[in-house]
Amino acid sequence: MTRGVGKKWAGNLSYVDLFAGPGRSVVRGTGEEVEGSPLLALDREFSRYVFVDIPEVLSILKKRLKDHPKASQISFVEGDCNAVIGKVREALPTNHLTLAFIDPTGLQIHSRSLRHLVQNRKMDLLMTIQLGMGVTMNLPQYLKTEGTRLTAYLGNAGWREDVKLGGTASQFARRYLARYLQELRSMGYSTVRERDINIRNDQNLLLYVMILASRHPLGGTFWRKATQIESTGQRLLYN
């Protein structure tokens, strides 16, 4: 994004991370320490950064970034993103093009919060959907509690029709994902791209789907270029 539109939006690009985390993470199993999304974003040419998380997590990130060269460009918003979404909007310049990175551990962000965030803003969304842990594995528990979390995340109770269709939990999860993508389109995101992230648990259950939602066709071009590059840096070839 910063490379593709950096010249046009020079000085007017913002980044917001609704689940920023502490800034560094340890890879389970190997013990390797890696940079989290805030540090990765700070290496890019955004002019404004907004990091959001609960106080005990955000306090660690604040300490980590207090002497960062871009410290004056960073705003920290403490709290559950659903409760502080208004403060997040206030921290973002209204005349900027913003990339919102939304990487929850489950179905924490509510659809109404997302709608509020993007309303009347030029904002692209890069999101992870916890399809395995967030939907497939927890479906029986959600149904016991009348599915309030599924409804809040999706923004409506249309998923109940998918339950009636039967099938496996994984099949339901795919139907639920299709509904979620439709909700994004209803917010004005005409370009919506998805890709399975091939990370699985011990039961070979696919855990993540990554989504890009853009209101501009150029977003699809960025997505195609970015997803041709593997984590090793090697570019994939497509027919």
Side-chain angles (χ1 to χ4, degrees), residues 33-102:
E33 190 173 283
V34 296
E35 292 186 341
S37 51
L39 296 183
L40 295 173
L42 284 164
D43 284 340
R44 302 296 180 262
E45 294 305 314
F46 294 99
S47 57
R48 192 70 187 165
Y49 299 84
V50 180
F51 298 134
V52 188
D53 217 314
I54 57 177
E56 54 266 38
V57 173
L58 207 61
S59 63
I60 301 171
L61 183 61
K62 285 182 179 179
K63 291 178 182 178
R64 185 161 274 141
L65 297 180
K66 65 182 179 66
D67 295 322
H68 195 280
K70 289 186 175 180
S72 63
Q73 299 167 238
I74 302 171
S75 294
F76 297 96
V77 180
E78 293 185 353
D80 180 315
C81 65
N82 297 296
V84 299
I85 206 69
K87 293 181 179 180
V88 175
R89 280 176 59 91
E90 291 172 4
L92 289 167
T94 58
N95 64 332
H96 279 207
L97 175 63
T98 299
L99 176 65
F101 182 50
I102 304 171

Side-chain angles (χ1 to χ4, degrees), residues 98-193:
T98 299
L99 176 65
F101 182 50
I102 304 171
D103 183 28
T105 57
L107 305 182
Q108 288 95 336
I109 185 168
H110 299 166
S111 177
R112 65 184 179 184
S113 301
L114 188 59
R115 284 185 177 274
H116 188 194
L117 177 67
V118 306
Q119 185 178 13
N120 299 323
R121 296 295 180 99
K122 292 180 174 65
M123 186 177 298
D124 286 353
L125 307 174
L126 183 62
M127 312 174 67
T128 60
I129 307 295
Q130 310 297 317
L131 205 62
M133 298 291 289
V135 180
T136 305
M137 291 187 66
N138 290 319
L139 181 59
Q141 184 62 36
Y142 290 150
L143 296 180
K144 288 180 182 178
T145 58
E146 299 183 355
T148 53
R149 179 164 290 191
L150 289 172
T151 298
Y153 186 77
L154 180 62
N156 61 70
W159 59 269
R160 296 185 186 278
E161 297 302 315
D162 297 325
V163 172
K164 293 177 182 178
L165 293 175
T168 66
S170 294
Q171 288 172 330
F172 166 80
R174 285 295 175 179
R175 297 181 199 128
Y176 187 84
L177 175 62
R179 287 188 182 273
Y180 194 82
L181 299 184
Q182 186 56 42
E183 282 297 304
L184 292 178
R185 294 185 180 98
S186 76
M187 297 180 198
Y189 288 97
S190 55
T191 300
V192 179
R193 300 287 184 269

